[in-house]
Amino acid sequence: PQGIGSPSVYHAVIVIFLEFFAWGLLTAPTLVVLHETFPKHTFLMNGLIQGVKGLLSFLSAPLIGALSDVWGRKSFLLLTVFFTCAPIPLMKISPWWYFAVISVSGVFAVTFSVVFAYVADITQEHERSMAYGLVSATFAASLVTSPAIGAYLGRVYGDSLVVVLATAIALLDICFILVAVPESLPEKMRPASWGAPISWEQADPFASLKKVGQDSVVLLICITVFLSYLPEAGQYSSFFLYLRQIMGFSSESVAAFIAVLGILSIIAQTIVLSLLMRSIGNKNTILLGLGFQILQLAWYGFGSEPWMMWAAGAVAAMSSITFPAVSALVSRTADADQQGVVQGMITGIRGLCNGLGPALYGFIFYIFHVELNELPMPESPSGGSVVAQYHLQQNSIIPGPPFLFGACSVLLALLVALFIPEHTNLNLRSSNWKKHCGGHGHPHSPQAPSEAKEPLLQDTNV
């Protein structure tokens, strides 16, 4: 087989690190180019771009996963990394094409799905939790370091150098896959020929969602995930732009914010989460995480000073315990042969939110006229930009309307979660889901297994 050595988790870790390190370098330049390209309706256009990308990723992920079961992982790792990184050099060549290609790249921007399948091919079930944790930690580590490096290089040498460096790292990632990454899917695991048919059931992105109503507990969990992750997905797509353009953060401050939030979230999802699960139980941990999320979003919504954003960011790190706790609850309450199906439902709902959330946030920003009509002016002695301070005077009551909408949505999720029983057995209709597992329950399917933890941020350019 092509590649260096036998397939290992470290091959997948390097692929993930290089891809998101390249995108992390562009965090600050992307925010500037976005506002320069769309000086009016900046937040609306950002929401539409990220929303289209998220919806395309949701629609294409099952098909790409099914095809990778037939054609192997290496070719699809190459395809997803290439198309995810394809917009990078266009940032300085043509900003309009840059954002257009970002939207369209969502069809193939599902690197995590293929990487998770790669890891599943080469690990035993008892090793998989540690392997997925290593992949997620690597993802977080790349975003902890790269935005600060990109902001520093952009300030000293200019954004053009940052774009060139990010392009070079993306090319290095592609070359690494071509030369060093061995194929993980054995020939004997594939169908007899490349022409093997792919059923619509395997490629249907809504297949897992159709089973949501078959069990009342599953329905409660899925509603909780939808109402809590919808504002979270919208927040990830627009929050750094909000800090830069509305709150007057400098590029260095945004990079430092990402780093601090990433480190705190890693601590929260490891040490704090394990302590809470042992001390107060699974359901109460979910409720506590949702409570932190409500507080964080309300603080973002009403906050008008930079220090308030930093304080709310610490609360946001604590709210990141919610989804791992939900995954653990499902893992404990579902039967062993239903784990993949139920986890697939939750993953599908989160994928749908990745498309709906950014578009919703952008639309709410647009409705409340949260825009800047000119580029930020030089910083005032107090530290914030003059334009941002003037804007906040005009909208001092509610600076961030979408965050308050998000807080209301999470409050509803909290009320729904109160009715989730702590100990129960999920009872999906076996006659339906067993047939479905023939396509979606494949051991190498891109659906996240029960042990997998979602990374801090989704597969986006920030």
Side-chain angles (χ1 to χ4, degrees):
Q2 296 178 343
I4 299 175
S6 58
S8 70
V9 177
Y10 299 106
H11 287 101
V13 162
I14 294 173
V15 170
I16 285 291
F17 182 84
L18 290 176
E19 176 181 326
F20 289 97
F21 190 88
W23 272 114
L25 289 173
L26 297 179
T27 300
T30 296
L31 301 182
V32 174
V33 172
L34 180 67
H35 185 66
E36 289 177 345
T37 308
F38 308 107
K40 295 183 179 180
H41 314 315
T42 308
F43 287 96
L44 177 63
M45 294 306 300
N46 177 65
L48 291 177
I49 291 166
Q50 297 300 330
V52 169
K53 179 181 178 181
L55 283 175
L56 289 177
S57 297
F58 166 72
L59 294 173
S60 65
L63 176 60
I64 290 180
L67 290 174
S68 73
D69 287 340
V70 177
W71 294 348
R73 313 297 183 202
K74 179 170 179 173
S75 57
F76 281 91
L77 274 178
L78 187 64
L79 187 71
T80 55
V81 170
F82 175 80
F83 278 98
T84 302
C85 297
I88 291 177
L90 295 175
M91 178 182 284
K92 286 299 179 183
I93 299 173
S94 173
W96 279 91
W97 275 106
Y98 169 71
F99 291 113
V101 174
I102 283 178
S103 297
V104 177
S105 71
V107 175
F108 297 102
V110 288
T111 307
F112 265 107
S113 295
V114 185
V115 165
F116 283 156
Y118 188 97
V119 171
D121 293 339
I122 58 179
T123 56
Q124 301 296 323
E125 189 170 345
H126 67 277
E127 303 171 328
R128 212 160 285 163
S129 177
M130 182 66 70
Y132 279 110
L134 183 60
V135 172
S136 298
T138 303
F139 169 82
S142 69
L143 290 178
V144 164
T145 54
S146 54
I149 296 173
Y152 172 77
L153 293 176
R155 181 167 54 85
V156 177
Y157 301 105
D159 289 346
S160 296
L161 176 68
V162 180
V163 174
V164 170
L165 179 60
T167 304
I169 293 174
L171 289 174
L172 176 63
D173 197 11
I174 292 172
C175 293
F176 176 79
I177 297 172
L178 280 172
V179 175
V181 175
E183 176 57 58
S184 66
L185 189 64
E187 287 287 344
K188 62 183 179 181
M189 294 293 295
R190 305 185 204 178
S193 70
W194 275 28
I198 301 295
S199 69
W200 166 245
E201 198 169 356
Q202 287 175 280
D204 182 7
F206 298 97
S208 61
L209 302 183
K210 294 173 183 175
K211 305 181 184 305
V212 166
Q214 294 182 5
D215 184 274
S216 59
V217 179
V218 172
L219 181 62
L220 290 173
I221 292 173
C222 289
I223 292 175
T224 301
V225 171
F226 180 81
L227 291 175
S228 63
Y229 192 70
L230 184 68
E232 188 175 338
Q235 174 187 327
Y236 287 155
S237 70
S238 62
F239 187 63
F240 302 133
L241 176 64
Y242 180 78
L243 290 178
R244 183 79 173 90
Q245 303 290 354
I246 304 301
M247 299 306 300
F249 273 46
S250 64
S251 299
E252 293 79 7
S253 298
V254 172
F257 188 94
I258 296 173
V260 171
L261 186 61
I263 293 171
L264 291 177
S265 295
I266 292 172
I267 295 173
Q269 293 186 42
T270 53
I271 301 172
V272 176
L273 179 63
S274 62
L275 291 175
L276 289 175
M277 295 280 277
R278 285 198 298 266
S279 59
I280 65 175
N282 208 318
K283 177 181 175 180
N284 290 331
T285 301
I286 295 173
L287 297 177
L288 184 63
L290 293 174
F292 277 118
Q293 189 178 0
I294 294 171
L295 177 60
Q296 161 228 334
L297 289 168
W299 211 336
Y300 282 155
F302 286 111
S304 58
E305 298 292 337
W307 70 265
M308 297 181 181
M309 299 296 105
W310 285 98
V315 178
M318 280 300 301
S319 70
S320 66
I321 65 175
T322 303
F323 185 71
V326 169
S327 296
L329 178 65
V330 169
S331 178
R332 291 179 181 179
T333 55
D335 292 335
D337 54 359
Q338 298 186 21
Q339 294 282 339
V341 179
V342 182
Q343 293 288 344
M345 294 179 195
I346 296 175
T347 303
I349 287 175
R350 284 170 65 88
L352 189 61
C353 290
N354 282 331
L356 298 177
L360 181 64
Y361 263 52
F363 184 64
I364 296 175
F365 273 124
Y366 172 72
I367 289 177
F368 284 87
H369 306 290
V370 181
E371 300 290 346
L372 291 177
N373 295 321
E374 53 184 311
L375 290 174
M377 296 168 61
E379 291 192 351
S380 65
S382 61
S385 71
V386 176
V387 173
Q389 290 178 357
Y390 172 76
H391 182 89
L392 284 176
Q393 291 173 3
Q394 298 297 105
N395 297 271
S396 57
I397 299 177
I398 306 178
F403 303 114
L404 291 184
F405 168 83
C408 296
S409 177
V410 179
L411 178 60
L412 292 177
L414 179 65
L415 296 176
V416 173
L418 288 172
F419 294 95
I420 299 175
E422 179 93 40
H423 303 287
T424 185
N425 287 322
L426 303 184
N427 184 26
L428 299 180
R429 296 180 189 133
S430 58
S431 60
N432 289 333
W433 67 260
K434 282 184 179 177
K435 183 191 297 184
H436 176 70
C437 277
H440 285 271
H442 190 282
H444 307 296
S445 160
Q447 298 287 6
S450 60
E451 308 96 320
K453 288 184 180 179
E454 291 288 324
L456 172 64
L457 301 179
Q458 289 298 311
D459 196 352
T460 69
N461 63 317
V462 286

